[in-house]
Amino acid sequence: MKQAITDGVEALMDYIMKNCLWQFNSRAWDRVEQNKNILEKATQIMCKEEVAKETPMERCYWAEAQTMVEEFLKKFPWLQTMDAGDIKEMMAGLKERLDYQTITGSLNQELKDPNY
Amino acid sequence: MKEKHIIFGAEKVLKDNIREAFKAFPHIKRMTIYQTCASALIGDDIEAVAQEIMDEMPEVDIFVCNSPGFAGPSQSGGHHKINIAWVNKKVGQVEPKITSDYVINYVGEYNIQGDQEVMTDYFKRMGIQVLSTFTGNGSYDDLRAMHRADLNVLECARSAEYICNELRKRYGIPRMDIDGFGFEPLASSLRKIGLFFGIEDRANAIIEAEIKRWQPELDWYKERLQGKRVCLWPGGSKLWHWAHVIHEEMGLEVVSVYTKFGHQGDMEKGISRCEVGALAIDDPNELEGVEAMYKLKPDLIITGKRPGEVAKKIRVPYLNAHAYHNGPYKGFEGWVRFARDIYNAVYSPIHQLAFLDISKDEIRTDQSFVTRKMLSDSQLSPDIVNSTVMREYTGEFDSLKHLRDATYPQFPLQGKLAAM
Amino acid sequence: MPCELKAKERTGVINPIFTCQPAGAQYASIGIKDCIAIVHGGQGCVMFVRLWFSQHYKESFELASSSLHEDGAIFGATHRVEEAVDVLLMRYPDVKVVPIISTCSTEVIGDDIDGVVRKLNEGLLKEKYAGREVHLIPIHTPSFKGSHVTGYDVAVEAILKHFAQKGEPNGKLNLLTGWQNPGDVRTLKHLMAEMQVDANVIFDIEEFDAPLMPEGNHVAHGSTTIEDLKNSGSAIGTIALNRYEVSKGAKYLEEEFSVPAVIGPSPIGIRNTDTFLQKVSELTGKPIPMSLVKERGIAIDAITDVAHMFLAEKRVAIYGNPDLVIGLAEFCLDLEMKPVLLLLGDDTTTYPDDPRIKALQEKVDYEMEIIMNADLWELGNRLQNEGLKLDLILGHSKGRFLAMDHHVPLVRVGFPVFDRAGLYRQPTVGYEGAMLLAERMANIWFADMEYTANKEWLLNMW
C-alpha cells in the first residue's frame, strides 16, 4: 500500500476510535454488521456513489456514515485530493484495522455472549 | 417487612401496602415494585400480587422488577434486569398519539440536573416528537409505547443498550448512540439525528446559533485550563463520554480513567478515548484509589460524592461526576457550565490555602486575598487576558428556567417519514 | 386525655423516617479507632450507608462488604467473610477491630457468622496473623427487625460484650452517648471536664469533623480505643444517654460487672441537662461547679430572650430517633411551644412503658398526638388532607420536600442532615445545645417571617 494510504488509514482509525460510538455495540456479530455497513456507505459517499437508504436500518447506517464523512472532510483536507481507487483501498484497509481492533483482536469477552 | 413475614411470607402485607399507597395518592395510577434481598429469598410471588391488584383496580398498572441486591456484582445487573423486564412486560401495551413525522425514544438519559430538558428542547426545536425518555423525566405510559418510535437515540449504553438491542430485534427500530456532552459530539449527534429524518438543516441552524452564543465562553475557560491534570473517575460510562472531549475542548490532560461498574465494553471505549500514558483502572478499591492519587498528583478529580471526600482530604478539589455541581452539563450552555465548575474548582484560592502549614512555612502578610484570575491568568499572554471576544459564563444560576416557558415551532404532520 | 399515644393505622410505610439495622451497626463501628467493619450482605448494604454518612458529614468512612452474590444466596457465603477478613487484614496493617455485621439476606439464608468468627480465631488468625491483635465481633442486625436505632443498640451491646473486662476500679464514668454528632460529643466532654469527671466516652466521634491538613491524609475516624472499651467493665458507673440506643450495653455492664447503670435522660434542653449532671454527680461524687452554673445562666438568658415573645404557642411536629424526639418535645414544652405531633419511626413495642411518654400523656393540656411505627406520610397526610397547621417542623433532611411543599420551616436536627452546612458541628445536647437550638428555631422563624411578609417588622424593634 502507498504511504499516503497507510497514513490515511491510521488517521481515520484514530478519529473513529476517539469520536465514534457505532463500532462499540455489545456483540461480535453486531459489530460485524455495523463496521461493514457504515464503512461501506462511507466509502460510497466519499466516492460520490449512490447510497441505499430506504429501510430504517439502512438510513441509520447512512446517517452515521454521512456525519462521519462530513467530519473527515473538515478535519482531513488531504481526502479531497484522493482518487476513488485510493479511497476504496484506504477504506478497505480501515475496515480490516477496525475489525481487528473491535472484533477479532478485542479482549472484550462479552462480545461472545450468546444472549441477544 | 418484619421477622414474622420472613417466616410466614409477606404477600398479604405487600397487597395491603399497595392498596394503602394508591389510596393515599388517589391521583396516581401507576406503580413500580422492586424486589429486594429479603423478599427474593423467601420466594414471595410479587407478580401474582400485582396482578391481583390490577384485576381489582383496572385503572391501575403495576410494574414488578425482580432485582435483589445479591443477584449481581453491582448496580449494572439491576440495569439489565429492568431493561429486559420492561421490554418483556410493558412495551407495546399503549398506543401513543403521534404528533410528528419524526418520532424517537430518548434512551439512557436520567435527567441529571435537567440534562433531559436541555436535550428535548433541541429535539423539539427540530420538530421531533420525543415519544418517551428511558427514564429521566419520563412517563410510565409513554414508556409502554416505545415500540412506535422510528429511532432509539441512546446516551448511556451501559445502562440501557439492552432495551435498545431488544427493540431493534423485536420491532426493527434502529439504535443510534449519541453524546450530549461537548460541542463537537453534541453537534455531530444532532446532525446525525437530523440526517436520519431528513431535517439536518434544522439541526444545523440550532448548532450554528448555539455555537455562536457559547463558543466565546468555552474558549475563555479553555485558555485557562490548558494542561491541567484530571482524574476521570466515574462509576459507569462518563469515562468514555468525557475523556476525549474534555481534552479536545477544554485542554485538560486526562491522566487516569476508571469505572466502578462498567463492563469490558466501557473500558474499551474509555481507553480508546484516552491519550497515551493515561492510567486506566478497573473498579479500584479505596487503597488503590488513594495510591493512584498520590502517584498522579492531579489538579482535579471528577468522581462520586464519597470518593470526592477522600480526594478533598489530600487537598485535591473534586467535581461530582454523577450529580454534577452546577449543572446541567449537557447541551452547549451546559458544557460551558461544566468548564466553569472545573475552573472554579482548580483555581479556588481557599483550596490553595490548604497547602500552607502555618507552623513551618513562611506566611505572606502582604496579601489579604487572592482572586481566581490572579491564579489562572498569571502565565497567560496579554492577548488572551485582554481578549474582547472571549468572556466568562454569562448564563443564569438556573439555566433551565427559560426552557419551561419556551414555545416550539409547529411542523404539520405530512404522513410517515414524508421527507424520506 | 388530650395527649394520645397511638400506632399508625396503615400496614405499609410511605416515606420512611428510619433506615435499617445494619446502618446502625455500621455507625457504631466507625466510632472505634482502627476498626473497619465487614458487612455480610450485598454491596448495596455498605455502599448506600457509606453514602448516607458521607452526605451528613461531607466525609468518607471506611467500611467493607463481603459482597454477597447469587451463588452465596443458594450455597451460603461464609467463605466470603473469611476471604474478606484476610484481605482486610493484609491491606490495612493497623486494623484491630473487625465487626462482622449481618444483613437481611445473610440472616435469611442463615449464614453462621458466629461460627465463622470462631473458625477464623482458631485458624487464620493463629496461622497467618499470629502475634497481631485482631478482634472479630459478630453482630446480628437483619434489616427486617427494628431500624437503625435498634441496630446501633445491638451493636453497642455486642461490642461491649466482646471487650469489657473486670479490672481495678478506674474511677471512670462510662458515657454511652447514643447516636450523636461530633458537636454533641464535644459538649459532653466539656461538661465532664468542668465536673472534673474522668469520662470514658463511647463512642468518641469528635474526630469525625476531620480537617484539611497541609500534609498527609486525615480521614475522619473514631477515637474510642480498645483500652477504653476494656475499661468500661471497671468503671464506677454508666450513663446511657439514649434509652432506645444504648440501654442494652449499659444493662450488660451492670449485670456482668456490677457497674451501676443509669438510663437516660438525653441531655436535651435545660431541665434534662440539669438531671444529667445530677446523675453524674451522684455516680461520681463530684459537685456541679460554678462554671456550669454560669454556662447554664448564659443559656437561659439567651433562651428567655426568644421564649415568651416568639416561641410561645408555636405548633411543631417532631420526627427522628425516639430519644431525640422525646427530648426535643420536653424542651419545646419548657419553651412554651406546642409540640402537636411526635413521630416515633419504628415498631418498638416498649414506647407505652416509657415514663417520659406516660408523663406527656398525663400532663400535656392540649391536643398532642404521638404516633408509633410512624412514617413521614403520617405528617404529610395530616398537612395535605387533614388541615394540620404547623409553625415549625423539627426533623432530618428527608422531610425537606414535605416542608417545602407545605411551606413550613424545617429546623434540621437528627440524622441525616445533608441539606444544610455544618450542623453536625453544633450540639443539640447540654446547655450550649439548648441555647443554640432555641436561637436556631427563632432565627429560622424570623427568616420565614421575612419571606412570607408575616409581621417581619416586629424584628425592627426587637
Side-chain angles (χ1 to χ4, degrees):
Chain A
M1 239 197 249
K2 286 192 278 201
Q3 191 58 44
I5 292 184
T6 331
D7 290 346
V9 169
E10 279 315 303
L12 299 188
M13 182 68 183
D14 188 59
Y15 181 88
I16 291 173
M17 294 306 274
K18 288 233 159 73
N19 296 283
C20 300
L21 288 170
W22 49 258
Q23 74 277 29
F24 285 125
N25 282 7
S26 49
R27 297 289 177 268
W29 62 260
D30 203 348
R31 291 186 179 186
V32 165
E33 291 295 308
Q34 297 277 103
N35 290 2
K36 171 173 167 303
N37 284 291
I38 291 172
L39 290 179
E40 188 179 88
K41 293 197 188 308
T43 314
Q44 286 165 346
I45 296 168
M46 285 155 89
C47 296
K48 305 192 184 0
E49 292 169 16
E50 272 296 305
V51 185
K53 44 179 149 78
E54 297 311 310
T55 69
M57 286 307 302
E58 281 178 345
R59 195 139 182 113
C60 192
Y61 293 133
W62 170 74
E64 294 277 9
Q66 176 69 25
T67 327
M68 186 174 72
V69 170
E70 283 171 17
E71 279 149 24
F72 282 169
L73 292 171
K74 260 191 286 188
K75 218 172 145 112
F76 305 121
W78 44 261
L79 275 174
Q80 316 271 12
T81 64
M82 266 191 159
D83 67 47
D86 282 348
I87 289 178
K88 291 203 173 137
E89 203 184 322
M90 181 180 69
M91 294 301 280
L94 177 61
K95 179 172 187 309
E96 212 181 294
R97 195 81 172 72
L98 194 63
D99 280 350
Y100 174 72
Q101 185 80 27
T102 61
I103 308 170
T104 49
S106 169
L107 301 173
N108 182 350
Q109 297 302 310
E110 276 184 35
L111 293 174
K112 303 182 186 145
D113 192 322
N115 287 331
Y116 165 66
Chain B
M1 276 171 70
K2 297 293 167 190
E3 197 158 30
K4 59 182 185 209
H5 302 127
I6 299 294
I7 304 168
F8 298 114
E11 287 174 13
K12 171 153 189 328
V13 163
L14 176 60
K15 215 166 171 192
D16 289 342
N17 262 270
I18 300 174
R19 286 203 195 101
E20 282 169 6
F22 279 128
K23 183 155 167 244
F25 301 97
H27 54 287
I28 296 181
K29 303 289 179 206
R30 302 286 179 262
M31 179 185 277
T32 42
I33 303 180
Y34 297 96
Q35 188 186 47
T36 63
C37 292
S39 52
L41 286 168
I42 63 175
D44 268 359
D45 189 349
I46 301 181
E47 293 270 11
V49 172
Q51 190 56 55
E52 279 172 36
I53 297 280
M54 287 196 279
D55 293 338
E56 247 174 60
M57 302 168 68
E59 74 280 16
V60 141
D61 200 275
I62 301 177
F63 171 60
V64 175
C65 185
N66 291 323
S67 53
F70 58 76
S74 69
Q75 52 263 58
S76 179
H79 300 149
H80 184 248
K81 286 261 162 69
I82 202 171
N83 271 237
I84 300 302
W86 188 262
V87 75
N88 280 343
K89 294 190 239 181
K90 295 298 176 190
V91 172
Q93 284 181 350
V94 165
E95 289 305 321
K97 178 156 180 285
I98 300 294
T99 56
S100 162
D101 289 316
Y102 323 110
V103 183
I104 65 172
N105 291 317
Y106 189 25
V107 186
E109 163 60 56
Y110 304 102
N111 198 26
I112 308 299
Q113 286 211 30
D115 276 347
Q116 190 261 9
E117 289 184 67
V118 169
M119 295 298 284
T120 26
D121 172 64
Y122 296 136
F123 298 143
K124 286 196 261 191
R125 278 149 74 176
M126 287 166 68
I128 295 174
Q129 178 184 3
V130 181
L131 181 55
S132 74
T133 305
F134 189 97
T135 57
N137 211 21
S139 122
Y140 190 103
D141 282 350
D142 286 348
L143 285 165
R144 291 202 280 171
M146 284 178 92
H147 59 299
R148 290 294 177 222
D150 302 313
L151 181 68
N152 285 329
V153 171
L154 176 64
E155 286 260 23
C156 180
R158 173 68 287 119
S159 63
E161 68 179 350
Y162 321 106
I163 199 170
C164 282
N165 290 341
E166 289 299 320
L167 289 170
R168 189 168 95 179
K169 203 156 86 167
R170 299 178 199 201
Y171 299 99
I173 305 175
R175 159 187 163 177
M176 184 185 273
D177 289 29
I178 68 157
D179 222 325
F181 296 109
F183 283 23
E184 268 305 309
L186 176 54
S188 170
S189 301
L190 293 176
R191 241 180 251 128
K192 256 194 312 206
I193 298 169
L195 279 168
F196 180 86
F197 288 118
I199 50 174
E200 63 271 22
D201 48 332
R202 297 182 201 169
N204 285 330
I206 293 171
I207 294 165
E208 203 185 306
E210 293 282 328
I211 291 192
K212 185 158 174 233
R213 170 73 179 83
W214 297 110
Q215 189 72 55
E217 299 185 12
L218 183 64
D219 287 343
W220 193 93
Y221 294 105
K222 182 178 181 179
E223 292 296 340
R224 289 153 174 86
L225 293 175
Q226 292 287 344
K228 286 297 168 190
R229 299 161 61 79
V230 170
C231 284
L232 190 46
W233 286 353
S237 55
K238 296 242 172 67
L239 76 160
W240 49 261
H241 276 292
W242 288 349
H244 178 64
V245 69
I246 61 176
H247 175 69
E248 274 293 294
E249 297 191 4
M250 296 185 196
L252 297 166
E253 290 299 319
V254 177
V255 298
S256 172
V257 295
Y258 83 34
T259 175
K260 295 241 111 218
F261 60 81
H263 296 198
Q264 296 165 71
D266 297 284
M267 272 315 224
E268 269 190 300
K269 291 178 188 169
I271 294 174
S272 305
R273 282 12 191 176
C274 285
E275 299 297 310
V276 172
L279 177 66
I281 328 176
D282 178 28
D283 188 17
N285 59 42
E286 204 77 359
L287 292 173
E288 288 166 341
V290 174
E291 188 185 333
M293 283 192 274
Y294 274 122
K295 191 165 156 187
L296 298 165
K297 300 195 198 318
D299 298 303
L300 176 75
I301 299 181
I302 306 181
T303 185
K305 182 179 169 45
R306 193 203 51 78
E309 297 295 334
V310 181
K312 181 182 78 173
K313 280 289 179 274
I314 61 169
R315 302 157 297 283
V316 178
Y318 100 95
L319 277 187
N320 193 325
H322 304 295
Y324 306 154
H325 270 48
N326 287 294
Y329 290 162
K330 281 198 189 164
F332 295 94
E333 180 174 3
W335 196 240
V336 178
R337 290 172 75 93
F338 190 22
R340 180 182 66 136
D341 270 350
I342 295 175
Y343 174 81
N344 285 341
V346 167
Y347 291 110
S348 165
I350 203 82
H351 255 284
Q352 314 273 336
L353 283 175
F355 290 96
L356 180 73
D357 183 341
I358 55 172
S359 71
K360 325 203 278 256
D361 299 335
E362 193 189 316
I363 299 177
R364 277 186 78 159
T365 53
D366 62 333
Q367 203 178 44
S368 53
F369 68 87
V370 166
T371 68
R372 288 162 292 170
K373 278 206 202 119
M374 285 161 72
L375 293 171
S376 67
D377 289 11
S378 55
Q379 306 292 325
L380 294 180
S381 78
D383 279 344
I384 294 178
V385 172
N386 300 321
S387 159
T388 50
V389 173
M390 298 190 287
R391 58 178 185 258
E392 287 174 79
Y393 179 64
T394 52
E396 299 287 325
F397 177 64
D398 181 354
S399 59
L400 297 175
K401 265 203 285 231
H402 70 278
L403 287 184
R404 307 232 164 95
D405 304 319
T407 52
Y408 293 100
Q410 293 305 312
F411 299 100
L413 272 168
Q414 281 168 27
K416 225 47 191 116
L417 293 169
M420 268 171 55
Chain C
M1 294 276 119
C3 173
E4 268 190 84
L5 174 70
K6 50 178 134 161
K8 164 173 68 97
E9 279 155 24
R10 286 175 288 115
T11 327
V13 173
I14 297 177
N15 298 338
I17 297 178
F18 289 159
T19 184
C20 55
Q21 287 209 113
Q26 290 175 63
Y27 193 64
S29 76
I30 58 177
I32 304 173
K33 192 160 188 290
D34 298 328
C35 169
I36 298 183
I38 296 174
V39 182
H40 187 36
Q43 288 174 188
C45 300
V46 168
M47 185 184 136
F48 289 109
V49 173
R50 283 180 93 189
L51 181 65
W52 196 53
F53 292 160
S54 181
Q55 283 185 288
H56 181 87
Y57 287 113
K58 310 295 185 260
E59 299 283 351
S60 173
F61 293 92
E62 309 203 285
L63 289 159
S65 172
S66 69
S67 189
L68 181 70
H69 283 24
E70 208 152 27
D71 57 327
I74 303 170
F75 299 113
T78 48
H79 60 282
R80 292 193 84 94
V81 177
E82 292 176 39
E83 215 184 306
V85 169
D86 192 13
V87 172
L88 196 65
L89 293 177
M90 257 199 285
R91 301 288 243 124
Y92 290 87
D94 293 329
V95 159
K96 299 190 177 71
V97 183
V98 183
I100 316 274
I101 298 172
S102 71
T103 60
C104 55
S105 51
T106 47
E107 287 284 334
V108 173
I109 66 180
D111 266 4
D112 181 6
I113 54 174
D114 299 82
V116 163
V117 165
R118 275 194 301 272
K119 182 176 173 197
L120 288 168
N121 281 334
E122 292 304 308
L124 182 77
L125 295 188
K126 285 206 171 115
E127 290 151 23
K128 195 166 169 191
Y129 298 101
R132 180 168 163 183
E133 186 185 3
V134 175
H135 298 268
L136 303 175
I137 311 175
I139 303 182
H140 290 269
T141 46
S143 64
F144 45 78
K145 264 173 99 162
S147 66
H148 69 250
V149 175
T150 59
Y152 187 87
D153 202 8
V154 163
V156 172
E157 188 192 16
I159 291 168
L160 288 175
K161 271 194 174 153
H162 180 95
F163 283 111
Q165 285 173 2
K166 193 70 188 174
E168 285 302 306
N170 52 31
K172 289 181 191 266
L173 179 67
N174 293 330
L175 211 56
L176 299 183
T177 63
W179 199 299
Q180 304 289 3
N181 273 322
D184 296 313
V185 169
R186 191 173 30 87
T187 301
L188 290 168
K189 280 161 123 178
H190 161 75
L191 290 173
M192 295 296 98
E194 292 296 310
M195 300 250 322
Q196 307 201 314
V197 167
D198 190 3
N200 189 10
V201 179
I202 295 169
F203 299 98
D204 183 350
I205 58 165
E206 215 183 320
E207 291 291 311
F208 278 8
D209 189 7
L212 245 192
M213 299 292 275
E215 297 291 327
N217 182 8
H218 284 245
V219 287
H221 61 88
S223 315
T224 296
T225 62
I226 293 175
E227 264 319 291
D228 295 329
L229 294 167
K230 285 185 180 165
N231 284 339
S232 62
S234 327
I236 52 173
T238 305
I239 301 196
L241 260 43
N242 288 348
R243 177 190 171 102
Y244 296 102
E245 289 161 14
V246 274
S247 48
K248 281 199 166 80
K251 289 203 183 111
Y252 166 72
L253 291 174
E254 188 169 61
E255 279 157 20
E256 192 67 19
F257 302 105
S258 308
V259 176
V262 169
I263 311 287
S266 304
I268 297 175
I270 304 288
R271 219 179 285 270
N272 284 328
T273 306
D274 292 344
T275 310
F276 167 67
L277 292 177
Q278 173 66 14
K279 305 265 186 213
V280 169
S281 184
E282 278 165 14
L283 278 172
T284 60
K286 303 277 174 121
I288 300 176
M290 252 334 258
S291 61
L292 288 182
V293 175
K294 181 168 175 196
E295 196 175 304
R296 180 177 186 277
I298 292 177
I300 294 185
D301 183 285
I303 294 171
T304 49
D305 288 340
V306 298
H308 62 271
M309 177 153 184
F310 293 112
L311 296 178
E313 314 300 341
K314 291 291 178 284
R315 297 163 56 82
V316 302
I318 313 177
Y319 62 86
N321 288 9
D323 293 286
L324 178 69
V325 169
I326 296 170
L328 287 173
E330 292 169 340
F331 184 39
C332 286
L333 288 167
D334 269 342
L335 294 172
E336 305 177 53
M337 295 167 82
K338 288 199 156 123
V340 292
L341 182 62
L342 304 186
L343 299 180
L344 302 174
D346 62 24
D347 58 351
T348 296
T349 49
T350 55
Y351 291 133
D353 304 324
D354 190 325
R356 299 170 294 177
I357 294 184
K358 285 198 202 156
L360 288 168
Q361 286 175 287
E362 276 156 39
K363 305 205 189 127
V364 165
D365 47 30
Y366 59 87
E367 292 208 2
M368 180 200 273
E369 284 182 293
I370 307 176
I371 318 231
M372 302 183 284
N373 200 24
D375 54 24
L376 284 175
W377 180 239
E378 287 295 297
L379 173 57
N381 182 44
R382 282 170 172 73
L383 283 170
Q384 186 170 307
N385 303 320
E386 293 177 13
L388 177 66
K389 294 260 168 288
L390 287 177
D391 299 303
L392 287 175
I393 302 175
L394 303 180
H396 55 60
S397 295
K398 295 290 184 184
R400 64 192 307 258
F401 289 120
L402 258 182
M404 290 190 291
D405 283 347
H406 298 283
H407 306 290
V408 182
L410 174 64
V411 179
R412 274 89 175 146
V413 285
F415 206 97
V417 171
F418 50 78
D419 63 343
R420 289 295 181 272
L423 288 185
Y424 50 83
R425 200 173 292 114
Q426 278 191 29
T428 43
V429 300
Y431 299 123
E432 196 183 340
M435 176 177 73
L436 291 174
L437 206 50
E439 289 177 334
R440 193 149 58 92
M441 286 197 283
N443 283 336
I444 289 174
W445 176 248
F446 297 157
D448 189 69
M449 280 161 70
E450 286 165 6
Y451 286 124
T452 57
N454 186 12
K455 297 186 73 173
E456 76 291 351
W457 42 262
L458 262 180
L459 292 166
N460 257 16
M461 300 296 294
W462 185 43

